[in-house]
Amino acid sequence: MADQRDFLGRFDAMSSKATATVIAHYSTSFTLASRLLSPKTRHDIEALYGMVRVADEIVDGAAAAAGCTPEAVAEILDNYEHQVLLSLDTPFHTDPVIHAFGNTARKCGFEKAHIVAFFNSMRRDLSQTTYDPTQLDEYIYGSAEVIGLMCLKIFLQDSKASAKDREAMEHGARRLGAAFQKVNFLRDLAEDKEDLGRSYLPVFTESMRDEIVLDIRADLDAARLSIPLLPFGARAGVRAATDLYGCLVDNLESASLEDLKNGRISVAKTKKASLATKAMWKEVFRK
């Protein structure tokens, strides 16, 4: 009798655990928020995060620290994009992160254009060091807004939302992704400038910081409007992530420019736990 062991199922499970390890290693905030998602949704979000994080690490110093030349880093990124795009049509990959991502991408119907836009932004990080407003908007779209749109694909994979509600949720997803990226610009001022030689915000003053903070708050407010439209299994996690970044904005606004330029502003673990709990109970009672 043929061996009936579930070889693919075991590989799928291992790949899913691999992406869960990636998110846990790199982001306490997203790990905490993802735990409020339904299990099925959480595994898919972890798969998306895992792919995005590996690409980020390629351009943000890991490959260079391993001794790769700039030309080699560019080639690594190109090869990684090629393999990720192949996973949209291929049901197996030897890389567990790409394998898990491919499973999620095919199931949820990720758009190739969104993935290409993401890698185009990552590619800019290899050579572009300053940005004008138009270029920055393009960068934010590819590096963050399309990630929000892919997250929404995950949330709505079993949904029959109306076209009007989908449009509203897509707007919210893009605004939330943009808010996350702008927060990271402020948090990573020192690292981007000193370690990576990048300046997304070329002239940084207190008035500029306050202007960016207002812009981020507007993005977060717009994103919050669409949270009630999301399926129940996604709402608490998205609300927790939104509120965590809202707290980060408060801390960034109150920090001195010297602190912003010299270190990464964060949220205390106890505060994160409190925000996550409040988000969970708010959605439970709302339902």
Side-chain angles (χ1 to χ4, degrees), residues 138-242:
E138 293 170 351
Y139 179 85
I140 291 172
Y141 173 76
S143 65
E145 292 182 30
V146 297
I147 305 304
L149 292 172
M150 284 188 273
C151 286
L152 185 62
K153 286 274 192 178
I154 292 171
F155 300 150
L156 298 181
Q157 60 183 287
D158 298 319
S159 173
K160 296 181 179 179
S162 68
K164 181 180 178 181
D165 284 350
R166 281 182 180 270
E167 183 178 358
M169 286 184 281
E170 287 173 358
H171 179 73
R174 290 185 61 174
R175 295 291 292 272
L176 188 57
F180 288 174
Q181 183 62 281
K182 293 168 192 174
V183 166
N184 287 337
F185 287 157
L186 292 179
R187 293 182 78 196
D188 297 336
L189 275 174
E191 180 179 332
D192 286 338
K193 182 71 173 178
E194 302 301 326
D195 298 340
L196 301 173
R198 301 176 194 153
S199 184
Y200 300 103
L201 309 172
V203 179
F204 194 73
T205 62
E206 187 170 318
S207 62
M208 175 177 279
R209 186 269 309 274
D210 293 344
E211 182 179 338
I212 295 170
V213 164
L214 285 174
D215 190 36
I216 295 171
R217 291 195 194 284
D219 284 334
L220 292 175
D221 288 343
R224 286 190 179 97
L225 292 176
S226 66
I227 292 176
L229 300 175
L230 295 171
F232 178 71
R235 288 201 302 264
V238 175
R239 186 174 297 280
T242 303

Side-chain angles (χ1 to χ4, degrees), residues 234-250:
R235 288 201 302 264
V238 175
R239 186 174 297 280
T242 303
D243 291 348
L244 282 168
Y245 269 75
C247 187
L248 264 174
V249 174
D250 293 339

